[in-house]
Amino acid sequence: MAEGKNYLNHETTIWSWLTTVDHKRIGLMYLFTISCFFIAGGVAAILMRLELAKAGGDLVAPDVYNVLFTLHGAIMIFLFIVPGIPATLGNFLIPLMIGAKDVAFPKLNLLSYYIYLVGAIMALLAIIPVDWISAWLPEFLTNFLTWLGLSGPADTGWTFYAPYSLETGSSVIWMTGAAFVLGFSSILTGLNFIVTIHKLRAPGMSWDRLPVFIWASYATAVIQTLATPIVGISLLLLIMERVFGVGIFNPDLGGDPVLYQHFFWFYSHPVVYIMVLPAFGVVGEIIPVFSRKPLFGYKAICYATLAIAVFGFIVWAHHMFTSGLSNASAFYFSLATFTVAVPTAVKVFNWVSTMYKGSISFDTPMLYAMGFVFLFMVAGTTGIYLATLAVDVFYHDTYFVVAHFHYTIQGGAVIGLIAGLHFWFPKITGKMYNEVAGKIGWVLVFFGFNLTFLPQFVLGMNGMPRRYYDYPPEFEWLHTLSTIGALINGIGYSFALLNMLYAFIWGKKIAPRNPYKSLSLEWDTQSPPIHENFEETPTVTDYPYAYGVPVKEAV
Amino acid sequence: MSEHVASGPPHVHHMDAKTAYSAAKLGMWLFLATEILLFGGLFAGFAIYRWQYLSEFAHASEHLNWKMGALNTAILIFSSYAVVLGVDAAQHGENKKVKKWMLVTLLCGCGFLVVKFFEYKSKYEHGLFPGTVDHITNIAFNSPEFNAQYKMFFGLYYCMTGLHALHVIIGMGIIFWIYLLAKKNRFSTDYYTPVEVGGLYWHLIDLIWIYLFPLLYLVG
Amino acid sequence: MFRYLPEQASEIAPKIDWINNLITDLSVFFTVAIVGVMIFFAIYYRKKDGVDHETPQIKGSHTLEWIWTVLPTLVCIYIAYYGVIYYQELRYVPDDAMVVNVVGQKWNWSFKYENGKETSNVVYVPVNRRVKFLMESKDVLHSFFIPAMRVKRDLVPGMYTYVSFTPVMTGEYHVFCTEYCGQDHYDMTAKLKVVSQAEYDEWVNYKEDLSAFTPVELGKKLYTGKGCNACHSLNGKKIIGPSFLKAYGREVELESGEKFKSDENYIKNSILAPNSQIVKGYPKNQMPAFEGQLDDTQIGNIIAFIKSLDGSQAIEEEVLPEKSDVDVTKLTPVERGKYIYQNKLCVTCHSLDGSKVIGPSFKGIYGREGELQDGTKYVVDDEYIKSSILKPMSQVVKGYPAAMPPYEGQLNDDDIAGVIEYMKTLK
C-alpha cells in the first residue's frame, strides 16, 4: 500500500465504516453486500440447474423448484445487479472521475445504503419457508412469523404477475415490499449521481470531456430516478390489493391483470438498461487504455448512451406481445424496440474500431472487455428475434428468452462489473491481483457461461418453455450440457472473486498510482486515494482519451 | 431528503455554499419528479378504470363529502401561502417570522389530517371500505348496487388519499425540523436552503391534493 | 445455419421460419464479422515484446458513424416489416374457422368442440382446416403454446383470447403452458392430435350419435361419465349415497320422517337439488347439485337407467370409469398415482389445494399426523395409506364421514405404490 494515509486506513474501527459518508467506503460496503447476494442467487441457480440436469424430478419437489427460480430472479435482479455497477464502481468512481471530493449528498448516499439493507432484510424474511419448517420451530416463533404475514417462500417468479401473486402464499407481500424499498434506495442513489455530475465537476471538466463511464452512469441515474417510482407504485398497489382487496389487478373484482404487466414493465424494461449501461461505460474505459488509442467516436458513443436511455422508456410492452395487446400497440412496440438495436450496434462498432492500429495488451480487464463484445453481440442479435413480432410469438417465455436475458445481464452487466473490478482493483485496494489467476478465471467464466446458455438458445428454438420443473425427454441432453456449463461458470466466478479477495487482504504487490498509464482523472491520485480524493482540486484540459500521436484529419 | 443537503458540509468542505444551494435545489426538483411519477401511476390507474366504469365511479363518488374535501383544499392552499411567507422571511434572515409561518403550516397540516380522519371515520362507519368487510352488517356494499367497481373506486380513493396523507405527515416532519432550525437562528440572507427546498416539497403535497380533490370528489 | 425449429406443422410456420432464419443468418454474419475483426485487430496490433508501439490519435470518423447507424436501421426496418406482416396473418381468423373452446385451469387444459364434445389435455383437430382456439382462464394467467404451429397466446382471467392456425401435417404435437401458473405449471401440458378430416369427423361424432343408443345405455354412460358411480353402487351396496339397484319405486324415508315411493319426480329433484330430500341415514351436503349441468333429456336417460335396474338382470359388478388407452405400467410411479387419482374418482372427495371436500385433502398429506374417530393417533405413512385405500372404514379420520368405498381388489400393489409416491409430491 502506498505510503501514508488513505481512505482505507485513516480510520479503522468498524463504527467508522458503518457511519462513513465517504463515497469510496460506501462503494466498498455495497460491493461486499451485493457479493453476498450474488453468491446466494448463484447457489439458487446451481440448485435449479442440478434439478434440470436430467429429465424427471430428482433433487427437489416442484414447489421448491418454483421457489428457487423466484429467489434466483428476485435476488439477482433487485439485490445484486440493479445496485450492481452504479452502487459499487459508480459510487467509488464518479466523484474521482469528475475531480470532486465526494458525491453531492454524502449522508443521503449512506442513507441509500441502509435503505438497501432494510430491503435486503425484508427479502430475506420472505425467503423463510415457515410452512415447511414449522414442525421444527418453537411454537411462539411460528406464531410470530405467521403474525408477520409470512407463510412460505415467495413463489411467483421475480415478476410477481397478478393474479397468481394475489392468491399464493402471503410472503409475497414481503418480497414485493422489499422490491419497493430497494427501489427507493435506487432512486436516491440515482438522484445523488445526477446532482453530483451536474454540480461537482472539476474546473475544465466540460460535458464533452466526461469519461464515457460518467455518461453511462448519468444515463443510468436518469432511468433509476424516473422509472423506479412507477414500479414502486405498482408493487404498492399489489400489496394494497392483497391486504385490502382493492381490485384493480384482480379480474374477479373487475380489475385487469394486464394493467399490472404494463406498470411492471414500464419500470422493468428500463431497468435492464440500469444494469447494462454502466457496463457499456466500463468497457468504453478499458478498451482505449489497453489499445493506447482514443475511444473511437466518443461523441457517437455518448449520444448512443443517451438514446438507449430514452428509447428504453418507450418499448416496455414488447414483453407482452402474447398478453392480449391490440394489434396496433403490438406493431408500435415492435417497431419502437428496434430503435434500441441501432445505438447498441453503434457502440459495438466504435469499440472494435478503437482497437484499429492500437498497441494492444491482453491484461485481464481487456480480456473481459473483449469477451463482453462477443457476448453482447450474441445478446443484441438475439434481441432482434424477440423484437420481431411474429417470431417473438414463438420465442416468448421459452428458454430462448432466458438465454437472451442472461447474455444481456450476465454476459453484459456481470461481466462488465467483473471487468471493472479488475480494472480499478489497483485503485480501489492499492494492490495488484495475480494476473495469471485472473486470466484463468476469465477462461473459466467465459467458457462456462457460453456452455450454459448457448444450449438454452437451442432449447428455446425447440420450444422448451421456461420455468418448467420437468420437460419432455428430447430436451435432456441440452439441459445436461447447460448444467455442466453452469458448474464451470460458478467455479470461474468463485475463482475470479477469490483471486481478488486474496490480493486485497494478503496481496504483496503494491499498485502504483497509475499502473495502466490511463489519462482519466481517477488515476491522478494515489492508490488507494486519500480520504479527500485529491491533494488539490485537479484542472482538466482535454478529454481523457487523447492517446497516441496526433494526426491531422482527426475529427 | 433535504436534511442531508442542508445540515452543512458533512465530512469535508466538498463544495462551496453557492454550489451546495443549487445542488440542493436540483436534488429536490428531481425528487419531486419521482414523487409525481409515483402518484402518476395511481392517477393512470384511476383514469383507466374511471373510463371503463364511468357510471359506477360517478355514483360511488357521490358518497364522498365534497364539502369536507373543499375545506381541506382551502386549508392546504392557505398552508402553501404560509410556506411562501416563511421562505421569504428566511431569505431576509428573519428567523422569528420563519418560526411563526412554519407553525402556521404545521397547524394547517394538523387541521387537514383531522378533517381527513373524520372523513375516513364516516366512510368506515357506512361500510365504504375496501376488502373483506363482512363484519360490518349495515354496509351499502351488500346492496346489489354496490358492485365490485364501487369497491375499486373506494380502494383507489383510500390508496390515493392515504398515500397523500402519508406525504402530509412526512412534510410536517420536515416543516417541524425547519422550525427547530429557525429556533436556533440558523437562517441568514446567505443560508436558507432548507426552508426553500422544504417549501418546495410542501408545495408539491398541496399540488397533488389540488388534483386529487376534483378527480375524486367532483367527478360525478 | 443453426436450424433448430420444430417441424413446420402449420401453414404459417414456413413464413415465420423464413424470417427467423434470415435473422439467424444476419446475426451469425455480423457476429462473426465483428468479433472476427476484433480478434484480427487484437492479434495484428498486439503490443510486441512488452513495449508499446506508436499509435495514431484517430478520434473517429463521421462517415463510418453514418454508415453503421443507417445500415443497421435499414436491416431492422426490413425485419420489423415482415415481423408485423406475419403477425397480422397469425392473428387473422376467417369466418369459417372451426372453433374449439379452451379452458385453462390449474393445471389442466379442457377443450370443448362445436358439437359439445369435451376432452381434457388432448385436443383433436382436422388437417388443412383453419381452427380458432377461443380461450379463457378460470384462475390465473396461463399461456397456450403449440411450438409446431408457431402460435402462443396468454389466457387472461376475465377476458377471452384466441390463437388461430391451419395445421398442414397430421401427427401428434406438444401443447405447453408458457405462463407460470404455480406448482404444477410444468405439468400443464396437452397433446394436439392433427388427423384427417374423415378421422376427425368420426372421432368428434362418435359419442354424438345418440340415436344408436337406447336411453338406458345413455343413462349408463352418464352414470360413469358424471361420476355418480363414486357414491351410488349398482349392486345394492351402500357407498356414500343409496345404491341405484331397485331405486325406482323403492320406499324412501326422509330425515323429516316423511315416507313415499320414489318416482321420476323424486329422482329428478334429487339430481338437481340433492340436499332438499336426503334419505334417512345418509349424510347431507355430499352430493353436488347438478342444476344447470344436465338437461332434461339427460335426466330422462338417467331415470331410464335407474328404472332398468329393477333386479331383473344379473347384478352387474361395479361399473368402473371407461378404460382408456393409457398403459399405466409404462408411467413413472408418480404419474401412475396421479392417473389413478384422476381416474379412480379419488378426485371427487380429496382435493389437492388443501380444501376439505368429503375426505381429507391430499395436499401435504404424507407425514401428516392426527386423530382417528376412535381417538387413536395416526401418522400418514405408506402402511397407513395402503390400508386406508383398501379398507377405508377401519381408520376414519376424526371429523370426516365414513364415506369412502374400499378399493380392495381394484388396485394392485403397484397402483397403490404409485398413489403413495404421488401423495409424497403434494406438499
Side-chain angles (χ1 to χ4, degrees), chain C residues 41-321:
Chain C
F41 284 170
I43 294 169
Y44 194 77
Y45 299 115
R46 71 188 180 277
K47 177 161 120 183
K48 285 153 193 131
D49 309 322
V51 187
D52 277 320
H53 49 261
E54 212 170 71
T55 56
Q57 203 180 76
I58 305 166
K59 292 189 170 178
S61 152
H62 280 306
T63 325
L64 281 176
E65 298 296 345
W66 274 109
I67 291 173
W68 61 50
T69 307
V70 173
L71 192 74
T73 308
L74 294 177
V75 173
C76 284
I77 290 173
Y78 183 75
I79 294 171
Y81 172 76
Y82 281 102
V84 165
I85 294 296
Y86 293 147
Y87 180 78
Q88 234 166 346
E89 212 169 300
L90 205 57
R91 301 301 299 155
Y92 169 72
V93 191
D95 291 339
D96 61 344
M98 180 186 118
V99 178
V100 177
N101 285 285
V102 181
V103 176
Q105 194 168 10
K106 286 194 279 189
W107 295 279
N108 258 301
W109 295 107
S110 50
F111 304 92
K112 194 168 180 182
Y113 303 82
E114 280 167 333
N115 64 4
K117 186 173 175 122
E118 290 178 48
T119 54
S120 68
N121 295 332
V122 57
V123 54
Y124 286 79
V125 291
V127 73
N128 293 328
R129 171 145 178 227
R130 187 79 174 190
V131 288
K132 175 186 181 181
F133 283 28
L134 187 64
M135 311 185 293
E136 62 178 314
S137 166
K138 290 276 182 219
D139 38 41
V140 297
L141 295 173
H142 301 285
S143 190
F144 189 80
F145 177 34
I146 314 174
M149 304 295 160
R150 313 286 189 272
V151 292
K152 182 186 290 134
R153 195 71 170 180
D154 288 8
L155 283 74
V156 182
M159 71 195 257
Y160 285 105
T161 55
Y162 70 89
V163 295
S164 176
F165 57 93
T166 312
V168 293
M169 270 166 65
T170 57
E172 188 178 302
Y173 305 101
H174 288 300
V175 177
F176 294 119
C177 172
T178 43
E179 186 64 69
Y180 174 65
C181 56
Q183 183 179 290
D184 286 350
H185 166 57
Y186 73 99
D187 206 17
M188 189 165 167
T189 56
K191 286 271 174 272
L192 170 74
K193 292 190 177 172
V194 180
V195 295
S196 69
Q197 184 72 44
E199 280 175 274
Y200 176 76
D201 289 340
E202 191 188 341
W203 175 83
V204 82
N205 292 319
Y206 174 62
K207 276 196 176 172
E208 266 305 297
D209 192 10
L210 296 180
S211 58
F213 297 98
T214 63
V216 174
E217 284 168 329
L218 291 171
K220 187 171 172 186
K221 279 185 177 298
L222 287 167
Y223 168 72
T224 49
K226 295 282 173 188
C228 314
N229 55 349
C231 304
H232 302 281
S233 79
L234 299 181
N235 54 12
K237 215 154 73 184
K238 172 178 169 181
I239 309 177
I240 295 175
S243 172
F244 278 0
L245 183 69
K246 298 181 192 163
Y248 181 78
R250 185 196 286 159
E251 185 80 14
V252 284
E253 185 181 356
L254 300 186
E255 290 279 296
S256 60
E258 198 186 334
K259 283 186 188 176
F260 56 85
K261 270 196 162 172
S262 113
D263 59 3
E264 284 89 346
N265 272 326
Y266 170 69
I267 295 174
K268 182 173 179 180
N269 186 45
S270 294
I271 294 170
L272 297 178
N275 290 321
S276 61
Q277 292 181 308
I278 297 284
V279 178
K280 198 170 182 176
Y282 287 89
K284 222 174 150 73
N285 292 326
Q286 300 291 14
M287 178 165 159
F290 282 85
E291 182 90 61
Q293 295 194 40
L294 296 172
D295 60 26
D296 281 349
T297 326
Q298 288 172 311
I299 292 171
N301 292 337
I302 293 174
I303 293 172
F305 174 59
I306 293 176
K307 274 181 171 174
S308 75
L309 300 166
D310 54 4
S312 58
Q313 297 152 17
I315 294 172
E316 282 191 60
E317 273 309 298
E318 199 70 33
V319 178
L320 286 172

Side-chain angles (χ1 to χ4, degrees), chain A residues 155 167 292 297 322 350 353 358-360 362 385 393-397 461-462 467-468 474 547-549, chain C residues 4 6 20 24 42 45 47 52-57 59 65 68 106 152-154 174 177-178 180 185:
Chain A
D155 68 340
E167 58 171 60
R292 313 308 305 160
T322 68
N350 279 306
S353 305
S359 172
I360 298 163
F362 301 102
Y385 293 82
V393 167
F394 178 73
Y395 286 130
H396 180 74
D397 272 345
M461 288 185 157
N462 279 319
R467 295 176 170 173
Y468 263 35
E474 65 260 32
Y547 300 104
V549 183
Chain C
Y4 292 115
N20 179 80
T24 307
Y45 299 115
K47 177 161 120 183
D52 277 320
H53 49 261
E54 212 170 71
T55 56
Q57 203 180 76
K59 292 189 170 178
E65 298 296 345
W68 61 50
K106 286 194 279 189
K152 182 186 290 134
R153 195 71 170 180
D154 288 8
H174 288 300
C177 172
T178 43
Y180 174 65
H185 166 57

